[in-house]
Amino acid sequence: MNNANLQQHDLDSTSTSTLESISDDRDDISEARLLSFTTHDDVTLRYRYWPAKQPSNKQRKAVVMFHRGHEHSGRMAHLVDELELDECDFFAWDARGHGESPGQRGDSPSFATSVRDIQTFFQHLQRQHHLEIEQTVVLAQSVGAVLVSTWVHDYAPKIRALVLASPAFSIKLYVPFAIPGLRLLKRLRGNFFVNSYVKAKYLTHDEERIQSFDNDPLIARPISVRMLLGLHDTAKRVVADAAAITVPTQLLISGSDWVVRRKPQQQFFQRLGSSCKEQHILPGYYHDTLGELSRSDALSRIKRFIRQRFEQPNQETNLLDADKNGAFCAEAESLATPLPRGSAYDRFWSLYRSGLSFASRYSTGIKLGFETGFDSGSTLDYVYRNQAAGSNKFGQLIDKVYLNSAGWQGIRQRKIHIEEMLSNAMSCLASQQKDVHLVDVAAGHGRYVIEAIEKSSVKPQSVLLRDFSDINVRDGKALIEQKGLSDIIQFAQGDAFDKADLARLDPKPNLAVVSGLYELFSDNASVFDSLRGLAKGMQDSGYLIYTCQPWHPQLEMIARSLTSHRGGQAWVMRRRSQAEMDQLVKQAGFSKIEQRIDEMGIFTVSIAQKMSQGNHDTSKGS
């Protein structure tokens, strides 16, 4: 079972034409093959491939490069020779709307779409070129460095190392209130384009690079406002949450950069969760760090770092005890600590809670949250339905604002992703001539499972929905009856953390779902017990769909003002990075296949496959 089966489209469209670098006429530039791959939305993107000049007999190694904004892969071709990593294969893509790739210049459906393109690109490289992700270093510059940082944060790939040159975490727009102004204009006009103000002479001191930039027909100055705003918002998130990135990282900062600010780059470095990290400030360098006149100094550092990473054993940071130590443990403990009584902060949140209490008199959704818990199955089912209701027009207006909050938008997108994963998994099982036996161990009201079954052309042989709450079981059964699916769907009470009970599931499922549960519990031991119970109770090669919440922009508001279904106590969540969640899943006996994430980076939905006994030591933690 591989990613292509689940995605249900061909990612192996490949051209075999050969080209020289468009941007550099020197004779020592290695020739590259211009190839292509197909994205999740059927767009064909181009990339360059330089096979290793002296491939290793022991282990194949690769460097994958990502260009800066407005440019393309040809502008990085010189690095293949200059880095002198002859033992490595080199790859470099043309992002959507750049270089040889299609799309309006400087545009993409969203910044998150371009990040997902990276994930699809690597899946293609793994299949088409047999690239091993653990033997791959990623080298990226400027906007490309932000895209790659986001990919590493959101998707947690197990790459060997990350090299970032002048990441564009904060662009110097030189216009007061530029970002708020662009947001307002976008709201009024829709998406539009702005041209880069940066001249080539402010990018590098290399006259050859300046001339090639000015004369390169594949360089385009426009950038869409949605991409510019997406870059701004995503960069802020990644810098704030850099602790989630544990990959060995080298950061190169240009000392005289006219384009991006230094402070966010340094903040990113300080917060990085990696135990292996380097920061180098390069005096006098302009923004095109890897194309500067004196770039030999930067390239020698990169070459040394990459060689060292390949020479050292690849040791993944162990995150299984992140519930007991580390940044996210400290964050949760801080949010759980009462504020000093009478402080300005305490008075602010007290006033905020009073406002919510007042709103609950009129808003149906807020009232339901206080009655059952804002994390309850009843609340989530209300959010899924997304129909504002209240005691009067004022209440309906409040309810609409409530339902449109960032977190609830993310919840509804999570539902869409779960339904997509369920449909794909059921289709895969059907293609293998297997009956589908589905279980959801904490289904709430079960709406996402029920509606996924309604929409799917493949119908499961059996469906068991479980939940610990009497209310959820009652209302779930009513929904099943209403939908006329009582013949194939059962709803029963059950504890999703009872390992022994899960191991006795009958019939043994080959498709399991755990959605929105583990995010509510900070303890990794109980989550691991749940996952191990599922692994023991499932059929061999069965699929697990699981969710994670690596980020939330309203985490403090939730902790200070909303209540949980557990006795009305404060709803304090300990975030798990995607890497931490994936490690728990792997340790329990599953191999991750595919992932989705919403545009805001709040919720992920992943699918994994149960590994066979021979490929996994199931005695660990059992």
Side-chain angles (χ1 to χ4, degrees):
M1 180 62 171
N2 56 36
N3 295 334
N5 295 124
L6 284 170
Q7 291 179 315
Q8 297 181 341
H9 60 75
D10 181 16
L11 296 179
D12 296 324
S13 171
T14 307
S15 164
T16 57
S17 60
T18 303
L19 77 164
E20 296 268 13
S21 166
I22 293 174
S23 302
D24 205 320
D25 296 328
R26 290 175 300 165
D27 293 334
D28 60 340
I29 294 296
S30 299
E31 287 189 346
R33 285 182 246 172
L34 182 61
L35 310 173
S36 63
F37 74 101
T38 306
T39 65
H40 70 280
D41 55 350
D42 294 323
V43 176
T44 300
L45 301 186
R46 309 307 294 272
Y47 68 96
R48 287 169 166 83
Y49 166 45
W50 297 265
K53 299 174 185 175
Q54 298 177 4
S56 170
N57 294 326
K58 296 181 180 179
Q59 185 67 62
R60 189 177 181 187
K61 302 167 186 173
V63 176
V64 184
M65 304 187 294
F66 293 84
H67 58 79
R68 58 177 295 271
H70 311 288
E71 297 196 358
H72 56 86
S73 58
R75 297 283 292 171
M76 303 188 83
H78 63 98
L79 298 174
V80 176
D81 288 323
E82 292 177 8
L83 282 171
E84 298 178 328
L85 295 168
D86 294 346
E87 69 274 24
C88 295
D89 291 329
F90 277 79
F91 301 88
W93 81 344
D94 287 355
R96 286 183 192 237
H98 293 75
E100 299 278 359
S101 288
Q104 196 162 4
R105 300 298 87 181
D107 195 22
S108 174
S110 68
F111 195 82
T113 298
S114 291
V115 175
R116 184 172 173 183
D117 286 344
I118 296 177
Q119 176 72 359
T120 311
F121 182 36
F122 271 85
Q123 290 167 353
H124 167 80
L125 294 179
Q126 286 174 282
R127 284 192 306 278
Q128 188 69 22
H129 299 277
H130 307 292
L131 176 144
E132 294 184 38
I133 195 86
E134 295 86 357
Q135 298 296 330
T136 301
V137 171
V138 174
L139 170 61
Q141 183 164 249
S142 188
V143 175
V146 181
L147 283 167
V148 163
S149 300
T150 307
W151 173 62
V152 173
H153 178 281
D154 290 355
Y155 289 85
K158 297 183 176 111
I159 57 174
R160 178 58 65 107
L162 182 62
V163 179
L164 305 175
S166 301
F169 291 132
S170 180
I171 297 175
K172 298 178 181 179
L173 295 176
Y174 295 104
V175 177
F177 309 108
I179 294 297
L182 290 172
R183 289 194 200 282
L184 178 60
L185 285 174
K186 182 175 180 291
R187 183 171 295 181
L188 296 174
R189 296 172 48 186
N191 190 40
F192 62 97
F193 291 78
V194 294
N195 284 330
S196 171
Y197 62 87
V198 181
K199 296 181 179 179
K201 65 180 181 179
Y202 297 122
L203 293 173
T204 177
H205 294 87
D206 187 332
E207 287 296 331
E208 226 178 299
R209 292 278 291 180
I210 291 171
Q211 291 177 20
S212 68
F213 183 92
D214 289 335
N215 297 320
D216 191 334
L218 293 180
I219 288 178
R221 291 188 174 275
I223 181 172
S224 72
V225 168
R226 67 180 163 201
M227 281 298 286
L228 191 59
L229 293 176
L231 169 65
H232 174 270
D233 295 341
T234 306
K236 285 183 66 176
R237 171 170 69 88
V238 171
V239 170
D241 203 43
I245 298 176
T246 58
V247 170
T249 302
Q250 183 186 59
L251 174 63
L252 304 174
I253 300 175
S254 288
S256 299
D257 199 322
W258 290 82
V259 181
V260 302
R261 295 181 177 87
R262 182 188 301 183
K263 185 177 179 180
Q265 297 178 62
Q266 294 177 310
Q267 289 173 331
F268 173 83
F269 179 80
Q270 291 163 2
R271 296 166 184 166
L272 268 174
S274 175
S275 58
C276 175
K277 58 182 183 179
E278 297 181 3
Q279 174 185 283
H280 303 287
I281 299 176
L282 304 167
Y285 273 54
Y286 284 172
H287 183 60
D288 186 12
T289 314
L290 305 180
E292 257 293 12
L293 183 62
S294 58
R295 59 184 174 269
S296 58
D297 180 33
L299 299 188
S300 66
R301 295 171 194 247
I302 294 172
K303 177 183 175 181
R304 186 259 313 153
F305 181 75
I306 292 176
R307 282 255 169 87
Q308 286 178 347
R309 299 286 63 76
F310 280 133
E311 289 167 1
Q312 296 294 322
N314 189 23
Q315 295 183 339
E316 185 181 19
T317 302
N318 189 325
L319 300 172
L320 298 178
D321 291 328
D323 56 333
K324 300 180 181 65
N325 55 66
F328 303 124
C329 174
E331 177 185 70
E333 290 180 356
S334 176
L335 291 173
T337 302
L339 295 167
R341 187 180 295 274
S343 66
Y345 223 34
D346 180 51
R347 290 197 298 269
F348 170 81
W349 287 114
S350 177
L351 184 63
Y352 193 95
R353 289 191 295 271
S354 297
L356 278 177
S357 179
F358 174 77
S360 70
R361 302 179 191 177
Y362 306 97
S363 162
T364 300
I366 297 175
K367 180 182 178 182
L368 180 65
F370 278 117
E371 289 176 348
T372 66
F374 286 90
D375 59 348
S376 69
S378 299
T379 291
L380 290 189
D381 195 65
Y382 185 79
V383 170
Y384 289 149
R385 296 199 305 269
N386 195 27
Q387 297 173 353
S391 59
N392 53 32
K393 294 290 185 183
F394 175 63
Q396 291 175 15
L397 178 61
I398 294 175
D399 211 53
K400 183 176 181 179
V401 173
Y402 168 72
L403 288 171
N404 283 333
S405 68
W408 294 148
Q409 288 183 53
I411 285 287
R412 289 190 291 272
Q413 185 59 50
R414 185 180 73 182
K415 176 179 180 287
I416 292 170
H417 286 155
I418 292 172
E419 291 174 355
E420 177 194 354
M421 291 289 197
L422 277 168
S423 177
N424 288 348
M426 288 191 291
S427 296
C428 285
L429 289 168
S431 70
Q432 300 166 25
Q433 284 82 47
K434 293 181 179 179
D435 290 335
V436 178
H437 295 283
L438 192 158
V439 65
D440 188 320
V441 299
H445 290 189
R447 185 173 297 274
Y448 52 86
V449 174
I450 293 168
E451 293 186 356
I453 292 170
E454 285 184 311
K455 296 171 186 175
S456 177
S457 58
V458 176
K459 304 302 180 186
Q461 185 73 17
S462 69
V463 179
L464 174 60
L465 305 182
R466 293 165 44 117
D467 202 273
F468 191 72
S469 163
D470 292 333
I471 296 174
N472 290 343
V473 174
R474 180 200 67 198
D475 293 345
K477 286 181 176 179
L479 183 59
I480 293 168
E481 190 71 30
Q482 175 191 331
K483 297 285 189 178
L485 294 171
S486 300
D487 55 330
I488 62 170
I489 303 179
Q490 293 182 323
F491 211 126
Q493 192 168 31
D495 185 352
F497 293 105
D498 188 333
K499 180 170 69 172
D501 188 34
L502 293 174
R504 293 191 298 266
L505 288 171
D506 184 27
K508 293 173 76 70
N510 52 13
L511 178 55
V513 182
V514 189
S515 172
L517 175 68
Y518 300 148
E519 295 91 310
L520 305 179
F521 296 87
S522 64
D523 179 41
N524 277 352
S526 59
V527 170
F528 182 71
D529 277 348
S530 175
L531 289 166
R532 284 296 295 127
L534 272 172
K536 288 176 180 290
M538 290 179 63
Q539 297 179 29
D540 289 341
S541 301
Y543 301 116
L544 170 69
I545 296 173
Y546 62 98
T547 63
C548 182
Q549 180 187 274
W551 170 256
H552 203 301
Q554 300 170 309
L555 204 64
E556 183 170 17
M557 182 277 290
I558 291 169
R560 302 294 183 194
S561 60
L562 302 187
T563 52
S564 168
H565 71 283
R566 289 176 283 177
Q569 59 184 293
W571 183 10
V572 179
M573 292 180 286
R574 184 186 73 82
R575 293 187 295 126
R576 287 183 178 87
S577 68
Q578 190 63 43
E580 179 186 345
M581 190 66 231
D582 289 347
Q583 283 188 21
L584 285 165
V585 168
K586 181 180 179 181
Q587 185 75 1
F590 297 92
S591 177
K592 183 178 176 181
I593 299 171
E594 184 60 278
Q595 181 190 306
R596 300 286 182 269
I597 187 168
D598 59 73
E599 295 280 342
M600 296 170 287
I602 301 175
F603 296 107
T604 67
V605 178
S606 302
I607 187 165
Q609 189 169 28
K610 180 182 172 182
M611 292 185 283
S612 65
Q613 181 77 25
N615 294 330
H616 180 73
D617 181 4
T618 56
S619 65
K620 294 180 180 179
S622 59

